[in-house]
Amino acid sequence: MKLLERENAEVVIAGETIYMPVSSFSLGSKNMVERRKGVVYYNTGSQSICFCYGAVTESTMVNQIAEVLEDNLPGMVELGRVVYAEIINCRDPRIVTLTIRRMGDDLILSPMTKKVALAPPAETFDGDWMSAKALVDEQCARLRLPEEPDDIKKAWLGAVTAHAAGEGSPFQAFVFLQGFLSTLGPHVFARLLAVSKYAEMTLPLMVRQTREFLVETFDHFESLGDLGLGIIANLGRVYSYALGQLGTLEEYRQLTDSMRSLIQLHYRCLHLIFPWYLEDQFLAQSRLFYISAHRT
């Protein structure tokens, strides 16, 4: 990597860790270690670089790519607290940017610091898998800009099909979006890509499994569309059709990795504005329930 500058966010279950979404890339080898303060690792599932700056509350191993020097740990702790305060623990989250580059690399402007000229809009889907991938990649390029997507804005305003009875609040939709997106990209798509590399895997079986996981029993894309993410619903239909036009497992991986990025980028946008600050009210209600239950 030469230079990466992206918005940061705080994890919500792994302890004191901040992560920086990046474009998907492949590491030559794995270096799996236990999480601890100072470890910097790449999370393949979430396509992000993560920094452990304090206490760790998740036990899974991580793929370490760097280490924060002992002398620099106080600064990392301070950065982590700033990210938490500016994103998780406030009503109006703000982007906290971080620049990473290897020693000796030239300093270059990234999409976060300069105006990016997007490619002209792709033509309508013509049935070919490469056409489908171009449409998905075009949307991913837009989502990587530091601008809130229109679909996320609509969901935040409550302009969605699905809601709880006569409830007009967008909170329920946001909770479901958080749940779906946090598993669909980092886990379901990541596992499908991993399974596609099994030596005994064939393309017809991979396509069949993918459709079974994503659209046959329960259509994840249509459900996300009901929750406000119309772009994912539309591109999900394109993706499902394009699966039948593939010729090799490598083509499958290229197309599916683009869809994974699309889901991940939407999840990133949602995570940045999700009302995490409501945790105090939730804890207060939990304590009241605990007291009431023990009194009875």
Side-chain angles (χ1 to χ4, degrees):
M1 77 190 77
K2 285 192 175 295
L3 178 143
L4 300 171
E5 184 168 308
R6 295 288 188 271
E7 58 267 44
N8 280 272
E10 171 82 21
V11 301
V12 292
I13 61 170
E16 294 178 317
T17 303
I18 56 177
Y19 73 87
M20 182 181 70
V22 297
S23 301
S24 179
F25 61 89
S26 177
L27 297 171
S29 61
K30 292 184 177 181
N31 180 35
M32 306 304 291
V33 302
E34 293 184 357
R35 302 169 191 249
R36 55 179 171 77
K37 186 176 181 179
V39 166
V40 181
Y41 63 94
Y42 178 62
N43 188 321
T44 303
S46 63
Q47 299 180 6
S48 57
I49 295 177
C50 307
F51 304 80
C52 297
Y53 68 88
V56 173
T57 59
E58 191 172 345
S59 58
T60 56
M61 303 280 279
V62 294
N63 193 5
Q64 184 178 16
I65 60 173
E67 180 91 17
V68 179
L69 299 177
E70 187 72 27
D71 293 344
N72 294 331
L73 281 176
M76 178 58 67
V77 172
E78 183 178 353
L79 173 63
R81 290 172 178 168
V82 169
V83 172
Y84 182 85
E86 296 290 340
I87 295 179
I88 300 297
N89 201 32
C90 65
R91 287 180 174 271
D92 299 309
R94 298 194 306 172
I95 290 178
V96 179
T97 58
L98 178 67
T99 300
I100 300 179
R101 64 187 175 99
R102 295 185 304 186
M103 187 176 297
D105 284 341
D106 295 332
L107 185 63
I108 58 175
L109 292 177
S110 76
M112 293 294 294
T113 57
K114 68 176 182 179
K115 186 70 173 179
V116 177
L118 294 174
E123 298 296 329
T124 55
F125 179 51
D126 63 8
D128 183 72
W129 77 270
M130 293 184 68
S131 172
K133 184 178 186 305
L135 287 171
V136 176
D137 289 344
E138 175 193 326
Q139 188 61 33
C140 287
R142 296 182 182 281
L143 289 169
R144 287 194 170 96
L145 299 178
E147 301 172 2
E148 194 173 299
D150 289 340
D151 277 1
I152 297 294
K153 292 178 182 178
K154 291 178 182 178
W156 180 246
L157 293 173
V160 299
T161 302
H163 55 80
E167 180 62 54
S169 170
F171 182 71
Q172 292 90 345
F174 253 55
V175 170
F176 275 95
L177 281 174
Q178 170 71 20
F180 272 110
L181 294 176
S182 65
T183 56
L184 187 58
H187 299 291
V188 177
F189 271 95
R191 299 307 182 273
L192 288 171
L193 286 167
V195 170
S196 74
K197 296 181 180 180
Y198 287 5
E200 64 274 24
M201 181 54 64
T202 64
L203 178 62
L205 181 58
M206 194 69 243
V207 170
R208 180 181 175 186
Q209 288 184 345
T210 301
R211 285 178 171 157
E212 182 64 33
F213 271 105
L214 298 176
V215 298
E216 294 295 342
T217 304
F218 176 82
D219 195 321
H220 290 72
F221 305 123
E222 292 297 332
S223 179
L224 289 170
D226 291 339
L227 292 169
L229 303 187
I231 289 177
I232 289 183
N234 292 334
L235 290 178
R237 299 185 198 105
V238 169
Y239 170 74
S240 181
Y241 180 87
L243 286 173
Q245 313 306 310
L246 298 169
T248 66
L249 282 170
E250 177 57 31
E251 292 176 356
Y252 169 86
R253 285 188 283 270
Q254 290 184 41
L255 177 62
T256 301
D257 192 49
S258 290
M259 280 299 294
R260 177 179 67 163
S261 294
L262 179 73
I263 301 297
Q264 280 300 120
L265 289 165
H266 275 88
Y267 175 54
R268 178 197 69 178
C269 297
L270 180 77
H271 187 90
L272 288 172
I273 64 173
F274 190 85
W276 302 109
Y277 60 85
L278 293 176
E279 62 177 343
D280 292 336
Q281 298 179 33
F282 177 78
L283 289 173
Q285 293 294 323
S286 298
R287 293 192 188 98
L288 289 175
F289 176 79
Y290 177 82
I291 294 172
S292 175
H294 279 72
R295 283 178 177 174
T296 57

